[in-house]
Amino acid sequence: MQLTIERSALLKSLGHIQSVVERRTTIPILSNVRLDAHDGALGLNATDMDLEIAESVGGEVAQAGASTAPAHTLYDIVRKLPDGAQVELTLNGEADRLVLRSGRSRFNLACLPVEDFPVMSAGSYSHAFSLSAADLRGMIDRTRFAISTEETRYYLNGIHLHATTSDGVPVLRAVATDGHRLARVEVPLPEGAAGMPGIIVPRKAVAELRKLIDETGMDVAVSLSETKIRFAFDDSVLVSKLIDGTFPDYERVIPINNDKVVEVDCATLAKAVDRVSAISTEKSRAVKMTVEKGQITLSASSPDAGSAVEEIEASYDGPPIEIGFNSRYLLDILSQIEGDAVRLIMADASAPTILRDVADGSAVYVLMPMRV
């Protein structure tokens, strides 16, 4: 194998590849990236056995061939080379060393046999559809903050995607919850997604997918089976195993009898919550919200730091209500509101509160109250 490739193109692909590779693994080959040079391109492939990424980047291939090399080491070397550098990769005759040359630099990297590199079996995909990069980005951004990190409830460690109807209109819906807050967002159902099984996309796959979306303006081709999901971009393909579990019936968590509706400027509320929460204890992050006619009073106190109170204007004409929230959870939701105003729909101090973007009905957020 021998090829020459431009440093910035190689660095971009290695950046995607190395973030899939675990830094600590008991299987040495999983620390490596597979390199496959042929037909004027270099193919790169990495996996942790649950998630696989494959990329292709153009180069001058003098001799076709394949090898593997330590992913993080290769990325660090290329990252530290000067802008505009040309990188030459050569596999020596014994095939146990990859030689990297660039300018006056030369590196010998230990290789492992390419035959040992695992391949996630592709299998057949039962459903295939396309989503615009903007729709997929929006679904991820507006739900992933609510993904649970509690490993014992593994079925909450991802985003639940499924086809359903909303007011009689077919939609593709994404839901995430950690038991304290819930995020639900939907887009019109893409052609080909009807009848798809309900799936749970793992947190790591969501994070890697989000990075790839930022670099494309194209539609993303999505294929899925009962055990895997595949996302195809311009020069990248991401394949992930799905979480083998049943997502809970989230509809039961979304209250339907909340009758106290408050509308308030989202940025004003977020800044006030952020200021007041500076006084709350690090552990609870509790902020009390007192809603009265025409205003919201935010307050927090802690034995060590003291107390804080701030009043803001709000549109409300019902009986007074006092409710406590985890300020960080509340700010996470407010940061996803794209319009100017947010609507809070409440019942009482112990019932979950619904938050909605006044300008966009496609997203619903639910926040559990806390005692203060």
Side-chain angles (χ1 to χ4, degrees):
M1 180 178 88
Q2 184 177 3
L3 77 150
T4 306
I5 195 165
E6 208 273 318
R7 177 246 183 201
S8 64
L10 181 58
L11 181 65
K12 180 180 170 184
S13 284
L14 283 172
H16 300 153
I17 292 286
Q18 61 92 31
S19 64
V20 168
V21 177
E22 296 288 350
R23 287 202 174 267
R24 289 192 183 90
T25 176
T26 54
I27 307 171
I29 193 70
L30 295 184
S31 298
N32 281 24
V33 52
R34 179 187 165 118
L35 305 169
D36 199 343
H38 60 89
D39 301 332
L42 176 66
L44 301 97
N45 191 296
T47 182
D48 65 0
M49 300 303 285
D50 290 321
L51 183 65
E52 180 183 70
I53 186 167
E55 298 225 353
S56 178
V57 56
E60 294 177 25
V61 179
Q63 185 177 351
S67 180
T68 76
H72 295 300
T73 306
L74 184 58
Y75 172 72
D76 279 345
I77 291 169
V78 175
R79 183 171 59 86
K80 292 172 182 177
L81 292 174
D83 284 341
Q86 294 291 313
V87 180
E88 183 186 295
L89 296 172
T90 308
L91 191 65
N92 70 5
E94 291 80 39
D96 64 348
R97 285 285 184 274
L98 181 72
V99 181
L100 185 154
R101 291 186 183 88
S102 183
R104 294 186 173 185
S105 303
R106 175 187 165 110
F107 300 87
N108 275 298
L109 299 178
C111 302
L112 289 171
V114 73
E115 302 80 39
D116 293 350
F117 193 85
V119 177
M120 282 174 66
S121 58
S124 59
Y125 295 99
S126 58
H127 291 76
F129 54 90
S130 289
L131 273 173
S132 73
D135 278 350
L136 193 52
R137 183 188 296 113
M139 293 180 86
I140 291 173
D141 285 351
R142 293 194 283 177
T143 54
R144 69 169 173 171
F145 67 88
I147 294 174
S148 175
T149 55
E150 197 180 318
E151 298 303 331
T152 53
R153 303 167 80 188
Y154 64 93
Y155 48 85
L156 298 182
N157 293 163
I159 293 177
H160 177 44
L161 279 180
H162 61 297
T164 185
T165 56
S166 179
D167 297 326
V169 178
V171 293
L172 178 65
R173 185 175 284 170
V175 185
T177 183
D178 60 4
H180 303 289
R181 63 257 172 98
L182 178 144
R184 190 194 84 187
V185 63
E186 56 202 27
V187 297
L189 190 69
E191 191 175 334
M196 65 175 267
I199 59 170
I200 309 170
V201 185
R203 183 174 58 240
K204 183 175 177 180
V206 169
E208 297 307 321
L209 174 62
R210 182 64 183 82
K211 292 177 199 169
L212 294 172
I213 293 170
D214 270 346
E215 294 174 17
T216 184
M218 313 273 291
D219 286 357
V220 180
V222 184
S223 311
L224 58 92
S225 67
E226 289 188 359
T227 58
K228 289 193 183 74
I229 189 162
R230 179 181 187 268
F231 300 94
F233 296 81
D234 318 328
D235 299 311
S236 311
V237 175
L238 188 73
V239 179
S240 173
K241 289 182 181 176
L242 298 168
I243 291 176
D244 183 15
T246 304
F247 201 79
D249 181 6
Y250 62 87
E251 295 283 8
R252 289 169 43 199
V253 182
I254 303 174
I256 54 174
N257 297 320
N258 288 14
D259 56 354
K260 298 174 180 66
V261 181
V262 189
E263 282 191 18
V264 61
D265 181 82
C266 184
T268 302
L269 178 61
K271 287 172 183 173
V273 169
D274 196 26
R275 282 190 290 268
V276 169
S277 67
I279 213 86
S280 61
T281 60
E282 188 65 30
K283 188 178 179 184
S284 73
R285 302 177 187 270
V287 168
K288 184 163 78 171
M289 185 183 287
T290 305
V291 185
E292 298 167 295
K293 189 173 182 179
Q295 75 172 33
I296 293 174
T297 303
L298 297 160
S299 58
S301 62
S302 78
D304 303 324
S307 62
V309 177
E310 183 162 344
E311 294 177 355
I312 57 173
E313 291 183 6
S315 172
Y316 180 65
D317 198 17
I321 180 171
E322 277 190 3
I323 191 166
F325 293 119
N326 178 307
S327 59
R328 184 167 60 84
Y329 293 167
L330 179 56
L331 288 170
D332 281 345
I333 293 174
L334 294 177
S335 69
Q336 300 307 321
I337 304 293
E338 293 175 355
D340 292 335
V342 60
R343 182 179 294 133
L344 292 84
I345 308 164
M346 304 172 168
D348 55 51
S350 59
T353 292
I354 296 173
L355 294 94
R356 303 192 76 139
D357 189 334
V358 173
D360 178 10
S362 66
V364 174
Y365 304 100
V366 179
L367 183 57
M368 297 297 290
M370 64 185 295
R371 287 184 182 159
V372 279

